[in-house]
Amino acid sequence: MLLIHCPYCEETLPEAEFAHAGQAHVVRPENPSAQSDEEWENFLFIRSNVKGPHYERWRHVHGCGRFFNAVRDTVSDRFLTTYKAGAPRPDLETLTGEVK
Amino acid sequence: MSETISALNNAGYSGLVRIDETGLQGMITLRGDLSLTTVKKVATTASGATFPGQRQITVSDTGALAWMSPDELLILCPYEEVSDRLAKMTKTLGNTNALAVDVSDARAIFAISGEDARDVMAKLCPVDLHPEVFKPGEIRRTRLAQIAAAIWMEDDDNFRLICFRSVAQYAYDVLKVAAAAGSAAGFHAAQDPV
C-alpha cells in the first residue's frame, strides 16, 4: 500500500483514504466561449501519458476532503512530493535529484 | 410532535468489546476560515471547549470541539441544545463568510469500549492505533471498512465513532464482526511493555 502525505492534514496516510483525480495544472481557459473546438477538446480530453515523474491531482477523500497536487513516478509508483493546490509546480530536477 | 430517535435507537452488542449506538447527539458543523477570531470565538463559545489544534479534539462538560479539515470544525453538544446554540452562533457570525449547520440527524455516533478496542478499530480503519501514536485527544477522519468515519478516543479503552446516518447499520454490523467472540488479535496488548 502506498503512503501519501496530505499537505493539509500534514500527515502521511494510507492510500485507501485518497482518490486519484487526474492530471494536475490543467488550466481552464478564461473565456471558454472564445475557444475553438480543437482548443476546447484539448482542455477537456487531451492528457499527457508520462513515463516517469507525473504531476497529478489527488483528493484526501476519506479525510479532510481537500484536493492537492502530487508528483508521482509512474514507473516506480513513488510519490516524489505533494503540495497544496494553487502552490507553484515544484522543480522536477531538484525532486528527481533528491531521490537518487 | 413526533418522537425523534437515533439511527439504530441505542442498539448495543457485547463481544470482545462493548459496542453501543449512543443515541441522539447534537452536532453542528462549522465551515469557514479557522484563522478568523470570530470563527474561533463562535466555535469555542458554542462547544465550551478550547480551540483544537490540527487533528485534535477538545472536550468540555457539555460538549466537544473537533478539527475536521483546514476549514471545518465539528461541535458536539446535547441534542436538545442544538437549535439554541446554533441560533447564537449564526447571530455572532453575522456577515462573516462562514456557515454553521445542524447535522445531528444526518449522523450516527457509536461508542466502542473495552480492553481490545484498539484491536477492533485497527481491523477496520487504516490508522496507526499504537498507544504511542494515537492518543486520546486526537481525531482522525478515515475509512471504516468501506465507509467514511471519524474516530477519536475518550480514554485509553474507549473509542467514539461518527458516521453518516444512512450507513449506521453497516457500521454497526461491521463493528460487530470485528468484535465477534473468539476473534481477538491481541496485537496492541502485545505491544505494551510488561
Side-chain angles (χ1 to χ4, degrees):
Chain A
M1 183 180 285
L2 293 174
L3 292 173
I4 303 172
H5 183 83
C6 171
Y8 291 99
C9 294
E10 290 173 6
E11 203 173 14
T12 303
L13 304 161
E15 181 193 1
E17 287 190 15
F18 294 85
H20 178 258
Q23 185 179 329
H25 302 291
V26 178
V27 182
R28 185 181 167 86
E30 289 264 327
N31 182 5
S33 319
Q35 297 274 299
S36 70
D37 282 353
E38 198 174 317
E39 284 167 329
W40 189 240
E41 181 205 5
N42 258 319
F43 164 69
L44 285 182
F45 303 115
I46 308 302
R47 297 290 178 264
S48 53
N49 186 14
V50 181
K51 181 178 181 184
H54 185 33
Y55 293 94
E56 294 176 325
R57 287 201 314 156
W58 282 77
R59 186 177 179 214
H60 192 191
V61 62
H62 283 289
C64 62
R66 287 297 188 101
F67 282 91
F68 59 90
N69 293 332
V71 185
R72 182 178 62 96
D73 191 319
T74 56
V75 178
S76 61
D77 224 6
R78 178 171 186 161
F79 278 77
L80 302 180
T81 187
T82 58
Y83 52 103
K84 289 182 182 179
R89 206 186 266 251
D91 182 33
L92 212 51
E93 281 185 16
T94 42
L95 284 174
T96 42
E98 276 171 23
V99 174
K100 284 168 193 167
Chain B
M1 192 176 155
S2 55
E3 184 196 353
T4 45
I5 58 167
S6 61
L8 303 180
N9 205 8
N10 296 78
Y13 170 82
S14 285
L16 281 182
V17 294
R18 177 76 198 165
I19 295 162
D20 287 291
E21 199 253 5
T22 52
L24 297 169
Q25 166 74 56
M27 296 183 217
I28 301 166
T29 188
L30 176 64
R31 286 202 95 132
D33 184 346
L34 301 189
S35 62
L36 295 176
T37 326
T38 322
V39 174
K40 282 187 182 177
K41 203 180 107 195
V42 163
T44 48
T45 314
S47 61
T50 53
F51 196 78
Q54 195 176 34
R55 306 191 306 270
Q56 302 287 310
I57 179 167
T58 51
V59 183
S60 73
D61 297 341
T62 57
L65 182 56
W67 184 94
M68 300 299 271
S69 83
D71 60 357
E72 184 180 352
L73 296 169
L74 182 70
I75 293 145
L76 300 180
C77 68
Y79 187 81
E80 310 74 42
E81 292 177 23
V82 169
S83 47
D84 277 359
R85 293 198 192 197
L86 190 58
K88 279 183 200 151
M89 287 173 73
T90 312
K91 203 177 156 198
T92 319
L93 281 173
N95 287 327
T96 314
N97 186 18
L99 187 67
V101 178
D102 174 8
V103 292
S104 315
D105 299 317
R107 310 266 172 91
I109 184 163
F110 292 89
I112 298 97
S113 42
E115 278 183 11
D116 290 318
R118 282 185 194 267
D119 279 347
V120 170
M121 297 310 292
K123 287 183 194 177
L124 301 169
C125 301
V127 179
D128 186 351
L129 293 177
H130 190 281
E132 281 173 19
V133 179
F134 195 82
K135 296 172 181 169
E138 205 167 322
I139 185 165
R140 271 293 305 276
R141 285 177 73 179
T142 181
R143 300 170 61 127
L144 178 87
Q146 297 188 56
I147 59 171
I151 59 169
W152 74 96
M153 297 188 85
E154 300 235 289
D155 57 50
D156 242 358
D157 293 332
N158 289 288
F159 275 90
R160 289 289 180 134
L161 181 147
I162 292 180
C163 67
F164 286 118
R165 185 184 180 116
S166 55
V167 291
Q169 188 66 52
Y170 175 88
Y172 183 57
D173 291 344
V174 83
L175 282 167
K176 280 199 295 187
V177 172
S183 72
F187 177 73
H188 290 93
Q191 308 287 309
D192 290 336
V194 182

